Amino acid sequence: MNPTGLLLLMPLIVEVGGPAHNGALRRSHGKRPQPTIASRLMQNTPVTIPITFVRGMLSGVQARGQSCESFLAGAEIAPELLDQTGARVTAAQYVTLFRLMIDGLDDEGIAFFSRALRCGSYALIARSALGAPNLEMAMRRITRTFQLLQDDVVVELVHDGAEAGLTLRFTNPVAAQQTFMHELLLRIFWRLLAWLAASKLPATRFDFSFMSPPYAGSYGRVFPAPLLFGQRQSAFWFEASWMKGPVRRDEAALRVFLMEAQANIILPRRHDAEVSLRVRSHLQKTQPAWPDLAATAEAMHMATSTLQRRLASEGTSFQALKDALRRDAAITRLNTSTVPLAALACELGFADSAAFQRAFKSWTGSAPGTYRRGGA
């Protein structure tokens, strides 16, 4: 399995693949990838992905009239979840789906481009930037190499006063209509440049050439900067001073990066300084006690009102964080174990199984059994 498979969304975690050979991960030959260090980490740090991003990932294949059943089965995602607005999948399932699609299609573009990006394309793009004297030259090499591999979109380096960025100019109108393709490419190139600079490369803005989608509320961690929709071209922007900074990576670092590339790019990143992430971490560490707001504020050395205000400034609340963590933990446990619902309800701080099942359905729109491995 090639590690470099086109490289989202979405929108926190690092998935580490197995040993690479010549820039390519082991091919799975139709078998489900074996658990990795990071997939085990994700079981300890539950993260789930909205089903809309699964639909987006599948949309290129579906647009060609091809079946996605084998990919969903390999990732152990119940097909009926695709029709449920509130459904979610684990991060491990999402990464597995991505890898199975790349492997099965031999296409790192997962059917979004008019000609396949054969496995190894991303490694070639990333390698082209090594040895560049600065990030600007690295960006120019990357865009030229990408242009050699496909015919549907031109990635252009642009300047606008104190900001610089990369824009997507689509030459194939059919490809331009695929929202997920915009999301994916912006995420790929932004994360690659950040890695080359050995920095988070803070984005100052993300532009999208389509109107705000119904799921735009899920963009926050995938695209952590102001968002503008309905723009002339999709793009991401950052301070132009980064352009003159050095490329801080070599071939040895690239090999490690490629083993992590897929999940690093399609999964959102956590920002540990955020109060909301500190609250989530505290709740996770104290399971199954599930402390209340006052106890959590005390543990974080804050007044309760201060914690509430800080969380509100990040667009969330204590109860929302608690419910999200319980939801993610429940989905992960259901997908990776045979834990009885009564025991899971207790783990998550519910009085009984019935209360847990009501909450779960309110979170996801589905009964817990839908998320059992293999639908069991």
Side-chain angles (χ1 to χ4, degrees):
M1 165 65 71
N2 191 289
T4 62
L6 252 199
L7 304 172
L8 200 164
L9 247 163
M10 296 247 84
L12 359 355
I13 314 278
V14 177
E15 172 80 3
V16 183
H21 301 281
N22 298 324
L25 220 66
R26 296 187 305 270
R27 300 290 299 271
S28 67
H29 301 293
K31 298 179 181 179
R32 184 173 181 169
Q34 293 300 306
T36 64
I37 293 171
S39 66
R40 291 192 294 271
L41 173 63
M42 283 188 283
Q43 292 178 11
N44 296 325
T45 309
V47 175
T48 62
I49 306 297
I51 199 68
T52 187
F53 294 130
V54 175
R55 290 197 294 261
M57 187 177 286
L58 298 172
S59 61
V61 172
Q62 292 174 328
R64 297 186 180 188
Q66 300 175 8
S67 173
C68 296
E69 289 184 6
S70 63
F71 301 129
L72 291 170
E76 297 184 344
I77 297 172
E80 56 264 34
L81 293 181
L82 296 177
D83 299 322
Q84 299 176 13
T85 304
R88 304 177 76 89
V89 300
T90 66
Q93 287 176 303
Y94 192 55
V95 174
T96 296
L97 176 65
F98 193 39
R99 289 177 169 169
L100 289 173
M101 292 181 68
I102 292 168
D103 195 18
L105 300 169
D106 188 20
D107 181 5
E108 293 181 359
I110 54 175
F112 282 107
F113 294 88
S114 57
R115 57 184 171 114
L117 290 178
R118 300 300 181 195
C119 290
S121 296
Y122 184 67
L124 180 64
I125 293 169
R127 187 166 281 111
S128 71
L130 298 183
N134 52 49
L135 196 61
E136 179 173 5
M137 183 58 68
M139 293 169 70
R140 295 190 184 282
R141 292 182 183 181
I142 286 168
T143 57
R144 283 198 300 268
T145 305
F146 182 63
Q147 199 60 43
L148 294 174
L149 298 173
Q150 53 77 48
D151 307 309
D152 301 315
V153 58
V154 178
V155 179
E156 297 176 312
L157 174 61
V158 291
H159 293 266
D160 184 7
E163 293 185 322
L166 286 183
T167 65
L168 308 180
R169 178 168 59 83
F170 283 83
T171 55
N172 180 342
V174 175
Q177 294 174 8
Q178 297 278 6
T179 298
F180 190 86
M181 191 171 181
H182 294 251
E183 298 165 341
L184 184 62
L185 289 174
L186 291 182
R187 182 75 180 176
I188 288 168
F189 289 112
W190 175 49
R191 293 309 311 145
L192 176 56
L193 292 177
W195 174 79
L196 288 167
S199 166
K200 292 181 179 179
L201 188 64
T204 57
R205 189 176 84 238
F206 289 95
D207 294 347
F208 301 94
S209 62
F210 49 85
M211 301 308 293
S212 178
Y215 55 88
S218 299
Y219 271 18
R221 292 201 179 281
V222 184
F223 301 111
L227 311 175
L228 293 180
F229 294 95
Q231 302 301 296
R232 187 171 64 87
Q233 292 178 333
S234 294
F236 68 87
W237 299 87
F238 52 91
E239 292 182 3
S241 57
W242 283 98
M243 301 282 281
K244 302 306 178 185
V247 171
R248 301 181 182 275
R249 304 296 187 176
D250 58 16
E251 181 67 29
L254 177 62
R255 288 194 293 270
V256 175
F257 174 73
L258 292 177
M259 287 190 289
E260 302 174 350
Q262 288 171 332
N264 248 341
I265 291 169
I266 65 170
L267 293 178
R269 293 178 62 86
R270 289 194 184 276
H271 300 283
D272 294 336
E274 292 181 359
V275 172
S276 56
L277 267 297
R278 291 171 56 199
V279 169
R280 182 179 171 110
S281 176
H282 175 70
L283 290 173
Q284 185 177 325
K285 290 175 182 177
T286 56
Q287 290 181 37
W290 295 103
D292 61 13
L293 173 62
T296 300
E298 182 178 1
M300 297 178 65
H301 308 291
M302 292 184 189
T304 301
S305 58
T306 300
L307 178 56
Q308 289 177 308
R309 186 171 61 254
R310 295 281 296 275
L311 291 176
S313 71
E314 295 178 12
T316 188
S317 68
F318 179 79
Q319 191 60 48
L321 289 171
K322 184 175 181 179
D323 286 344
L325 178 57
R326 294 198 291 184
R327 177 202 64 207
D328 291 352
I331 291 173
T332 300
R333 291 281 277 143
L334 290 166
N335 184 255
T336 59
S337 75
T338 58
V339 59
L341 293 185
L344 182 55
C346 184
E347 289 179 16
L348 298 176
F350 288 93
D352 53 41
S353 176
F356 162 62
Q357 291 185 66
R358 286 193 299 271
F360 190 88
K361 191 162 187 178
S362 72
W363 296 333
T364 68
S366 306
T370 309
Y371 286 80
R372 285 290 192 192
R373 184 182 291 270

